[in-house]
C-alpha cells in the first residue's frame, strides 16, 4: 500500500511516499526556517502563505523522486492537528482536493502520532508495546503505546517544551533561531559541570517536567555575569544542555521501570540532541532497556512519519471524509 504523507503543521512543508508504512520511496522537506529566523520564531501568517506556495511543488517532487504518479497511490495522509491553524488548513485542503480528484481515501493524522511512528521507517523498527517520548519545540510528552492507534499519555511538561526552552535560551544568548543545534554545537566544547543549573523533578511517581525555571536560571546567570562569550558561552551551553538531558532521561527511565517497559523510543526535534542521545543510551543500557532513536532527519518534521501514521489509520479503516476539520489543539 503506497501512501502519500503531507505535513504543513508548522514551518516545514513536507511530502513523502511510503510503502506499507515501512519504506520511504521519497522524503521531501522544504523548510521555512530562513523566513522566520529574522523574527526570532515562527510567524503563523508567514507560515501559511509559504505553505500555499510550496505545497504542490513539494508533493510533485515527492512523487517524481518515488517515480510515481498520483494514480499509482493507494491512499493519502495529512496532518490535521495539532499545529498552527492556518498552516494545517493548507495541507488539509490539498489532501481533500487530491482525494476528490482521484477518489483516493485519505486519513487525518495527529502530528504527535507521526513523531512516535517515525521510528517505523528503520529496518529494525520496534513493534508496540513501547514507551515513546516526544520532545520537540511544541511538546514534551511521554506515551505508553500498547498498540498502534492507542496512546496513553503518562507525563508531560507543565510549562515550556524542551525545544522551546532551547529556543528561548538561545535568544537570551544571542544565538540564531531555532536554538537547539547552535547550543548543541557550542556545548560540545564546554564543561557540563561548569554551572549547576536547577533540575525540576516532580515526585518520584510523577513523570512530568518543568523547564521554565531552568530558562529563568539561565537568564539570571546572564544578568549577573554578563553576556558570555568564548569558553564561558560554551560552558553555559553545556551546563544547560546537561540539565535538560538529565531530567528527560531520569524521568523516562523511571517511568519505564515503574511500568515494566523494555523498549523506549525518543522522537521529535530535540531527539537530535547529541547529549540527550548519549545520556539516554548510557542510562538505558544500565537499566537493560532497548532504546530506539530515529536518525536526525526523522526527528524533525517530515512527511514520511505522517505517511506511516496514515497507513496505520487507513489499515484500521480510519478513512476521513470531506467534513474533516483541522484541530490546532488535538491531544493525542
Ligand atoms: O519536531 P520539530 O522539528 O518541530 C516541532 O514540532 O516543534 O522540533 C523543533 C525543535 C526546536 O525547538 C529546535 O530548537 C529543537 O527541535 N532542536 C534541537 C536540536 N535540533 C533541533 N534541540 C536540541 N538539540 C538539537 N540538536
Ligand atoms: Zn513536530
Amino acid at each position: 500500500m503506497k501512501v502519500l504523507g503531507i505535513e504543513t503543521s508548522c514551518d516545514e512543508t513536507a511530502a513523502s511516499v511510503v510503502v506499507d508504512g515501512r519504506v520511504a520511496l521519497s522524503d521531501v522537506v522544504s523548510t521555512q526556517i530562513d523566513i522566520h529566523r529574522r523574527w526570532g520564531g515562527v510567524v503563523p501568517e508567514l507560515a501559511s502563505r509559504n505553505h500555499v506556495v510550496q505545497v504542490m511543488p513539494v508533493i510533485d517532487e515527492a512523487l517524481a523522486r518515488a517515480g510515481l504518479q498520483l494514480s499509482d497511490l493507494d491512499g493519502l495522509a495529512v496532518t490535521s492537528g495539532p499545529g498552527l491553524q492556518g498552516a494545517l488548513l493548507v495541507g488539509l485542503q490539498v489532501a481533500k482536493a487530491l482525494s476528490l480528484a482521484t477518489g483516493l481515501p485519505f486519513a487525518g493524522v495527529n502530528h504527535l502520532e507521526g513523531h512516535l511512528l517515525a521510528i517505523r521507517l528503520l529496518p529494525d523498527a520496534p513493534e508496540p508495546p513501547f514507551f515513546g517520548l516526544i520532545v520537540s519545540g511544541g511538546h514534551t510528552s511521554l506515551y505508553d503505546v500498547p498498540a498502534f492507534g492507542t496512546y496513553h499519555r503518562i507525563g508531560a511538561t507543565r510549562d515550556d517544551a524542551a525545544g522551546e526552552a532551547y529556543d528561548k535560551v538561545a535568544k537570551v544568548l544571542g544565538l540564531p533561531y531555532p536554538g537547539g543545534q547552535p547550543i548543541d554545537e557550542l556545548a560540545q566544547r564546554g564543561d557540563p559541570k561548569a554551572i549547576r543549573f536547577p533540575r525540576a523533578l516532580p515526585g518520584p511517581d510523577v513523570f512530568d517536567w518543568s523547564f521554565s525555571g531552568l530558562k529563568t536560571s539561565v537568564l539570571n546567570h546572564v544578568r549577573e555575569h554578563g553576556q558570555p562569550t568564548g569558553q564561558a558561552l560554551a560552558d553555559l551551553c553545556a551546563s544547560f544542555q546537561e540539565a535538560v538531558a538529565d531530567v528527560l532521561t531520569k524521568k523516562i527511565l523511571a517511568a519505564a521501570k515503574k511500568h515494566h517497559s523494555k523498549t523506549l523510543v525518543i522522537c521529535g526535534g530535540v531527539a537530535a540532541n547529541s547529549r540527550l542521545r548519549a545520556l539516554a543510551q548510557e542510562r538505558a543500557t544500565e537499566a537493560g532497556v532497548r532504546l530506539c532513536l530515529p536518525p536526525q532527519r526523522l526527528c524533525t518534521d517530515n512527511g514520511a512519519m505522517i505517511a506511516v501514521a496514515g497507513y496505520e489509520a487507513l489499515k484500521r479503516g480510519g478513512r476521513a471524509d470531506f467534513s474533516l476539520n483541522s484541530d490546532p489543539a488535538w491531544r493525542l
Side-chain angles (χ1 to χ4, degrees):
M1 189 169 169
K2 297 185 199 74
V3 175
L4 172 72
I6 304 165
E7 156 65 37
T8 66
S9 69
C10 191
D11 59 346
E12 250 87 46
T13 318
S16 159
V17 180
V18 172
V19 182
D20 293 338
R22 293 302 308 274
V23 179
L25 299 181
S26 62
D27 186 9
V28 180
V29 180
S30 165
T31 181
Q32 304 176 3
I33 281 179
D34 288 340
I35 293 164
H36 300 288
R37 182 168 286 141
R38 57 185 290 226
W39 307 104
V42 178
V43 183
E45 178 61 22
L46 287 179
S48 314
R49 287 167 189 247
N50 281 284
H51 285 309
V52 170
V53 174
Q54 291 296 331
V55 71
M56 283 318 298
V58 164
I59 289 172
D60 287 343
E61 182 70 23
L63 287 168
R65 287 194 199 170
L68 299 173
Q69 310 215 327
L70 273 175
S71 54
D72 300 318
L73 297 174
D74 302 292
L76 305 163
V78 62
T79 306
S80 55
L84 301 169
Q85 175 70 297
L88 288 165
L89 282 172
V90 177
L92 185 58
Q93 294 308 333
V94 165
K96 285 181 184 176
L98 291 176
S99 174
L100 184 66
T102 58
L104 287 169
F106 79 101
V109 167
N110 185 302
H111 181 82
L112 301 176
E113 183 180 19
H115 273 303
L116 280 174
L117 298 191
I119 197 89
R120 298 289 297 161
L121 294 156
L122 299 186
D124 57 348
E127 297 287 332
F130 59 79
F131 266 38
L133 172 71
I134 303 173
V135 63
S136 71
H139 302 271
T140 299
S141 306
L142 181 64
Y143 289 89
D144 175 9
V145 184
F148 291 122
T150 307
Y151 305 95
H152 303 296
R153 200 173 83 158
I154 59 166
T157 181
R158 294 179 178 184
D159 39 59
D160 291 351
E164 194 179 349
Y166 263 94
D167 297 339
K168 287 177 176 170
V169 163
K171 206 169 191 171
V172 168
L173 299 176
L175 299 171
Y177 172 87
Q181 214 183 334
I183 290 182
D184 196 353
E185 280 166 20
L186 280 161
Q188 325 258 338
R189 296 190 274 108
D191 173 8
K193 294 201 179 87
I195 308 158
R196 175 77 195 175
F197 285 122
R199 270 85 164 144
L201 287 165
D205 282 341
V206 179
F207 305 110
D208 286 348
W209 292 273
S210 164
F211 293 103
S212 72
L214 173 61
K215 172 194 67 190
T216 307
S217 294
V218 173
L219 186 62
N220 288 341
H221 183 90
V222 170
R223 279 198 186 127
E224 228 171 277
H225 299 86
Q227 200 60 250
T229 55
Q231 192 57 42
L233 177 61
D235 286 348
L236 193 155
C237 289
S239 302
F240 164 75
Q241 178 147 295
E242 191 65 22
V244 176
D246 185 29
V247 293
L248 286 172
T249 51
K250 258 198 191 120
K251 281 289 174 194
I252 54 174
L253 280 149
K257 188 171 174 198
K258 176 159 188 240
H259 294 269
H260 310 289
S261 173
K262 285 282 151 212
T263 308
L264 265 179
V265 171
I266 306 183
C267 56
V270 183
N273 184 260
S274 62
R275 184 57 186 146
L276 175 62
R277 294 173 84 92
L279 191 59
Q281 191 57 68
E282 195 183 304
R283 290 182 172 169
T285 306
E286 257 169 43
V289 168
R290 178 184 174 201
L291 177 69
C292 303
L293 285 166
Q296 298 209 355
R297 82 189 150 76
L298 289 177
C299 291
T300 43
D301 291 349
N302 62 82
M305 68 186 200
I306 302 306
V308 174
Y311 163 78
E312 292 296 337
L314 290 168
K315 215 171 59 170
R316 292 193 301 269
R319 188 182 171 149
D321 63 37
F322 293 115
S323 68
L324 179 68
N325 207 346
S326 58
D327 183 351
W330 186 4
R331 258 180 84 150
L332 184 63

